[in-house]
Each structure stands twice: as structure tokens, then as C-alpha cells.
Amino acid sequence: MKTHLYYYIAIVCIILGTSCTSGQKQHATEEHTSIQKENVATQPDKAQFPFPDIPVMLTEPEERREFLLAHYWDNFNFSDTTLLNNRDITEQGFVNHISLLADGESSSQEITKSLDALCSHIEQQQEACKTFMHLFDEYLYNPNSPLYNEALYLVYLNRMLQSKTIDDATKSTLDFKQKLISRNQPGTLASDFTYYLPNGQASKLHQTPASNNRLLLIFYDPECPSCHEIMQDMLHDQTLADAVTDGKLTVLAIYTEGNPEAWRSDLSNLPANWMVGTDREAIKLNALYDLKAMPSLYLLDGNKKVILKDAPYARIRAALHF
């Protein structure tokens, strides 16, 4: 999941284009062009992404950006399998396209139009469809990706579900993901579920009291090596411990896996003032939450509306104003 300076500079130059005609803008363009040439010179035989030619009458950066997003893949040969397998062109071109869409400057209409154009290309070629669907999964749906972005991934899913060329089995997978991701979005009511305390008492998420109108919901697995570090950060965070003790926050930790012995043996490692339970695998069986990686953290208000969905602990902490 690398990025290349050349591609970034090339995109900047394409967007700025002829609008950099004087003064500081002209100087900026010359500087970008100089760096671009330097990078090209170091790799003279390296193929380059086939950016579209932006009409000369489009002089404003906003106009050029909009055209670039709408026609980003126009010159790419989706039937060329050798090109598809060239990561420096295809994968890097995809990364830069997604980076442009995710930089906060693109409107929802521009994003939809741009991804629609890409999907219209890939759905016509079997190998291209396979390649790009993998890239969408790897970069936008993988929680370890620096470009992880559920909002963009949903736009892609919604578009591909309208395709008349992909098979029913693939559509079924896309439909499942679309419904799963659409659940528990910020501002919506968190999916309710039953959980069981260590003494066997049953309760429901929506019935759980939330101190100070805040509840930190943690889905965890003590047998998951990759989530150990995050759990340790929370367990050793004195500010978090003080917030729970002082009634500023409720923490509800739910074990979602199928080894009750492992869950019970780990109970002593969790703070006594946390609420801890197991859902007896109901969440996964009913696909109530999208648990791609553990731990999965949700910040809820007292009415169990989602404030933050599957967020990093640092973001949770910042939202709580510790």
C-alpha cells in the first residue's frame, strides 16, 4: 500500500494546469514540474499512468479537478491483462484516484459520478472486474488500510449492485456487505442484542445504563493476538479508569466468540468497574455488527445512538475529551 511522489505531483500539475499563469501560482507550477521531471529522470523506462487530457478551456482548478475525477480512467486499457497486473500503474493509479475522492474536497455527486465511471469500465471486462474488486476490498474495506473508508466503499457497493453483468453469487456477497456496513452508522440507533453476565444474568444493550450519557461498547476476543496491544492501552489508561470510577462513562465489553472457557479465564484481567458479558455468538450469527477486526470500539450516547463506529481508541478518547 505504497504511494509514489511522482503520481501525486503529476495529479497536482494536471489539476493546476493552465490556471497557474502568473505570480506565486506560476512559481508553484514550475516547482512541481521541476520535481516531476526529476522523478521521471530517475526512472526513464518506467511506464506512467495514462491520465486524461483535460480540455484547455477548463482553466480553473475546480473545473479541472471535476473533469479529472469524471474521466480519470478514460485512457486506461481495461482489456490489457499485462497492464492490469502492473502494480505501479494499475494499483497506484487506483490509490491516487481514491485519495483524491477521500481528500474532503469532492462533493457526494462528484464521488458518485467518478466511481460510476470506473465501475462502468470494469464491469465490461472479467479480469478487470476481478482485479479492481480486489483493490476496492483491500484499500477501502480492510481496517488495516491507510485508505480504509466505509463511505466510499458503500458508494462502490451500491453501484456494483446495479450492474447487469456480474453474476448472482457475487451480487449476493456485495449485498451482504452493503447491508452489514449500513448498520450502526453514526447518528443511528445501535443494533440491540442480548448479552449474558458472568453470573448468567441476561440483559440487553438498549437496557444498559450509560453514565453521563456515554457508553463505550467494546467487542473483544482475549485469544486475538493482534488486538492485545489495543486492549492493553485501554486497561492501562488511568484517565479512562478514572472516568469510569467518577461516573463519566460506562464501559461494556462483549465477548463475541465461541470459547466460553477462554472468556471466563480472562475475566480477572478486566477492570472490576467494567460491565463484561458474552453474546453467545448471536452478533456474528445474525450479522448485527461488522466485526472485521478486534477489538471493535463503538461510542454510544445514553439512548444508544452511535456517535463513533468501529473507531480507533485514540479517536474515542478524543471524543470523550479526556
Side-chain angles (χ1 to χ4, degrees), residues 205-226:
L205 171 66
H206 287 184
Q207 297 173 349
T208 304
S211 299
N212 194 37
N213 200 36
R214 290 293 182 268
L215 186 147
L216 174 56
L217 176 59
I218 304 171
F219 297 111
Y220 78 106
D221 177 9
E223 295 184 294
C224 167
S226 61

Side-chain angles (χ1 to χ4, degrees), residues 61-120:
E62 293 78 11
E63 295 176 318
R64 297 176 67 82
R65 175 191 176 85
E66 183 177 357
F67 183 93
L68 176 62
L69 288 177
H71 299 274
Y72 189 93
W73 296 95
D74 282 7
N75 295 338
F76 187 90
N77 186 356
F78 289 87
S79 64
D80 186 342
T81 55
T82 300
L83 179 60
L84 288 173
N85 292 324
N86 188 328
R87 295 185 61 183
D88 287 334
I89 298 180
T90 303
E91 185 171 347
Q92 189 61 54
F94 177 84
V95 166
N96 284 281
H97 181 204
I98 294 303
S99 297
L100 279 174
L101 295 176
D103 67 1
E105 296 185 19
S106 302
S107 67
S108 59
Q109 292 82 0
E110 289 174 331
I111 291 172
T112 300
K113 182 178 180 181
S114 188
L115 289 181
D116 176 69
L118 173 55
C119 292
S120 295

Side-chain angles (χ1 to χ4, degrees), residues 267-306:
L267 288 174
S268 60
N269 294 322
L270 300 180
N273 57 3
W274 285 18
M275 299 183 66
V276 182
T278 174
D279 71 329
R280 298 180 180 174
E281 300 186 85
I283 289 174
K284 297 179 88 172
L285 290 174
N286 295 294
L288 297 179
Y289 288 79
D290 188 9
L291 304 179
K292 294 187 294 293
M294 292 290 189
S296 185
L297 311 180
Y298 287 70
L299 183 61
L300 312 180
D301 69 12
N303 295 318
K304 309 310 180 292
K305 282 190 176 181
V306 179

Side-chain angles (χ1 to χ4, degrees), residues 144-256:
N144 295 317
S145 165
L147 295 179
Y148 174 66
N149 190 314
E150 281 194 354
L152 289 182
Y153 193 70
L154 272 176
V155 175
Y156 150 74
L157 289 176
N158 291 335
R159 169 57 182 82
M160 292 303 287
L161 283 170
Q162 299 172 17
S163 175
K164 297 180 180 180
T165 62
I166 61 175
D167 59 80
D168 290 341
T170 301
K171 274 195 175 182
S172 178
T173 300
L174 296 177
D175 183 62
F176 175 80
K177 289 181 177 179
Q178 191 269 349
K179 290 177 179 176
L180 185 61
I181 295 173
S182 296
R183 294 191 178 110
N184 307 301
Q185 289 292 328
T188 66
L189 195 65
S191 297
D192 199 13
F193 59 88
T194 299
Y195 63 89
Y196 302 86
L197 300 174
N199 63 7
Q201 180 182 346
S203 187
K204 286 183 172 291
L205 171 66
H206 287 184
Q207 297 173 349
T208 304
S211 299
N212 194 37
N213 200 36
R214 290 293 182 268
L215 186 147
L216 174 56
L217 176 59
I218 304 171
F219 297 111
Y220 78 106
D221 177 9
E223 295 184 294
C224 167
S226 61
C227 63
H228 181 75
E229 182 178 351
I230 299 174
M231 288 297 293
Q232 289 301 308
D233 286 344
M234 288 188 286
L235 293 174
H236 292 91
D237 187 342
Q238 188 59 48
T239 305
L240 174 63
D242 292 342
V244 177
T245 300
D246 296 340
K248 297 178 180 178
L249 172 72
T250 294
V251 175
L252 174 62
I254 300 298
Y255 174 71
T256 61

